[in-house]
Amino acid sequence: MLLIKDFLEMRRTGGVGTVARFAAAMLGGVALLAWFESPARSQTPQGGTSLPPVTVDAPAQQSARRAQTRRNDARVRSTPRRAPQAAAVAVQSQPSVVPEFAGGQVAQGARLGLLGNTGTMKSPFNVTSYTDKFIRDQQAATGADALILDPSVRSSHPTGGVVDSFNIRGFPINEGNNGEFAFEGLYGIAPTYRIFTDYVERIEVLKGPSAALSGMAPNGGVGGVINVVPKRAEEDLTRLTASYGSTARFGGHWDVARRYGESKQWGVRASGSVRDGDTPIDRQSETTGVGSLALDYRGERFRSWLYLIAQTDRFDAPSRPFLMAPGLQVPKAPDGRLNVTQPWEWSRITDQSALLRTEYDVSDQVTLFADVGGSRTNVERFFGLPTIVNSSGNTTSTPQFFGLGIDRSTYDGGVRARFDTGFVHHAVAFQASVYHDALHRRLTNGSPVTSNIYNPTVAPTQFANEISDRPRLSDSELTGLSIADTLSVLDERVLLTLGVRRQGIEAHNYVSNVGTLTSSYDRSAVTPVVGLVVRPVENISLYANYVEGLARGDVAPQQPGVSNPGEILPPYVAKQYEAGIKVDFGRIATTFSAFEISKASGELSAGRFAATAEQQVRGLEFNVYGELMPDVRVLGGVSLLDGTLTKTAVAANVGHTPIGVPDIQANIGVEWDLPWMRELTLNGAVIYSGRQFVDTANKQPIPEWTRLDLGARYTTAINGRKTVFRANIQNVTGESYWSSVASFGTFFLGAPRTYLLSMTVDM
């Protein structure tokens, strides 16, 4: 962590040149360490005792898979053969990584909260797990970059912004200050605003509400769950990467893993990066530092994992969303390089996270588990929220100093067991959990600033009125008791999942900048889950589910005209019905699903704040991934959405499209290994989003848009060490477009043409 601190100090005083030298020295130090390490220490002893199998895909199977797909010493290809599907519920080693599907971009399963790792074909949900290989080949620096080809997901925050927020199946995720990324299936651990991929092994997307499986999301998101599977030591690894992004952003990344002990029971993995420089957006620069450490012990019956993460993200002139003045049409999008944020506006966010996981096998059928962890986020920023006030694109904003501290903690424990009753096999899990968060905030305002989206101007410099004291803003505690049973018969050709969770919600709200208690909240709710999978043949799964999501009720605002200020509304229950079919063709797999989600919300009606509004989204989803042929890989799909305001206080708006819900989202990405030059792979992606509305009256639309990305990578060996060169161009045609809309009506400018280059060496 001291290295990151030193790096940031040099960023302020020495500029890009100093940073480049610092990164080069750091990478050189890691390389030198790896060079002098004894080769014998990175090899499994010939006569050593083998490690008990604690992963879904045992190391020997992984090695065999790679051996089958190797074309030459320098290049590794994906297998055309279908690897075995993961077990429906693995009792031992729940944090294990599910094996990759053909093509290596997507895994064969993912974690389903309480149910643990579940194979795709045995899951009653639509879930996709994106692999580390896919993330590296995309040169994805953040979680938003990694999910760009998921047709059910759209990032609702711009490139160059300070938050990764999303829209999944038409509902917002991670738009508040409590953080809604799950980490190993638990809330309260992952960094609050942005996930950097340095410490990510997989990013899993479970689509739809999942309160019974994962607990209530801290901000009440019901569209899905984004789960981070962290890197851990599997095989010995020393990997160094140097990167460049337009216009002048340089970076270095390291990833080192080792296993120790007679049976390789001890594991260490350290990874991180430093990046600094100017982005493609005018007047904007970003500095990031990331460090992570994963330690584990894997004994015959006892296993434990410790994860530590620290990251800092600093922006000068960060990209901001826009508000639109009422009664005006949204103007044509400007060039994505233009930036109305002032060069003296800034953002500084730091995160520290820790998680300790333990498992103990009482017997071959029963495992006890317990987890404890938490995170701390510190935010200091000084910027405004620009409002477009006329059709010429003039804007006004008031910079605001925002000092925020977020403390979160989580605890859980339980038991997983497998047993038979006659011909029925049971996989049962019970879990008790506690999540707590506390927010402390201070706000101060600067002076109004005017600009123009087509011709940004620089206003006289203002300085933040920083006050160290931060009164309490809110705190909450979520408690839960969950139980689920997956019953299977006929050699897992029929699987029925039944589960229920009792969720307690206790929350307190305080006067901003004062800290005086204004309202409190103590409610509970019960949410069920029912899932059915029928596999008439091995490679076809018919599935259906009914599942509920849970969100804390709104608090009636303290403002004139509200007759019930401070009143706490009951928790909102979101309901999903879904059915679909999954087909595994061996090299390629598809999922087709139909769903309906409905959720209530609070609004002001006749002077009283009440839960009289309701939004419903019906949709059809088609996903495809895998290998069309051994040299061609495909990933993408289509999502058709029919969003409707089914209830609202404004009768004229009933039947309108909810804010930020397009009618169609489509993505397709293709990779091609050139047959006449096997070391070279070309790739391309097309991303499309339909029209979205900024308002519930549906009078302020942003138009549909299409983006084209292209890239290439070249794999070779230099001095016997595998080396990969990657080049990607995002938004090749330089389209200017409004990319997305957040649930409260702010909208974002799409990213400009961006160049990414990197070189990775496996030492």
Side-chain angles (χ1 to χ4, degrees), residues 186-200:
L186 301 171
Y187 292 117
I189 309 299
T192 301
Y193 297 105
R194 301 182 83 193
I195 295 297
F196 289 102
T197 57
D198 305 74
Y199 43 82
V200 173

Side-chain angles (χ1 to χ4, degrees), residues 212-227:
L213 300 178
S214 303
M216 173 180 158
N219 285 320
V222 299
V225 177
I226 298 175
N227 181 51

Side-chain angles (χ1 to χ4, degrees), residues 3-46:
L3 290 175
I4 295 176
K5 181 179 179 182
D6 293 341
F7 164 76
L8 294 173
E9 291 299 323
M10 284 190 290
R11 164 70 178 93
R12 287 192 290 267
T13 60
V16 174
T18 303
V19 169
R21 290 191 294 271
F22 174 82
M26 184 177 294
L27 291 173
V30 176
L32 191 63
L33 179 65
W35 185 273
F36 281 105
E37 184 168 354
S38 171
R41 295 179 61 188
S42 63
Q43 302 293 327
T44 302
Q46 295 293 327

Side-chain angles (χ1 to χ4, degrees), residues 506-531:
E506 182 178 355
H508 304 86
N509 298 294
Y510 304 84
V511 178
S512 179
N513 279 1
V514 177
T516 303
L517 181 67
T518 59
S519 60
S520 61
Y521 182 100
D522 191 356
R523 299 293 182 93
S524 64
V526 175
T527 53
V529 58
V530 179

Side-chain angles (χ1 to χ4, degrees), residues 640-705:
L640 304 176
L641 301 174
D642 179 16
T644 306
L645 295 173
T646 53
K647 297 179 182 179
T648 179
V650 181
N653 290 343
V654 174
H656 284 186
T657 301
I659 290 174
V661 180
D663 57 354
I664 181 172
Q665 297 174 167
N667 309 342
I668 189 65
V670 178
E671 290 190 347
W672 180 32
D673 304 330
L674 296 184
W676 58 87
M677 190 176 185
R678 297 197 178 278
E679 294 78 14
L680 181 63
T681 298
L682 304 181
N683 62 76
V686 177
I687 302 131
Y688 172 83
S689 280
R691 185 178 65 168
Q692 303 169 61
F693 290 99
V694 175
D695 64 327
T696 55
N698 288 179
K699 294 181 179 180
Q700 294 178 313
I702 64 170
E704 61 185 8
W705 57 269

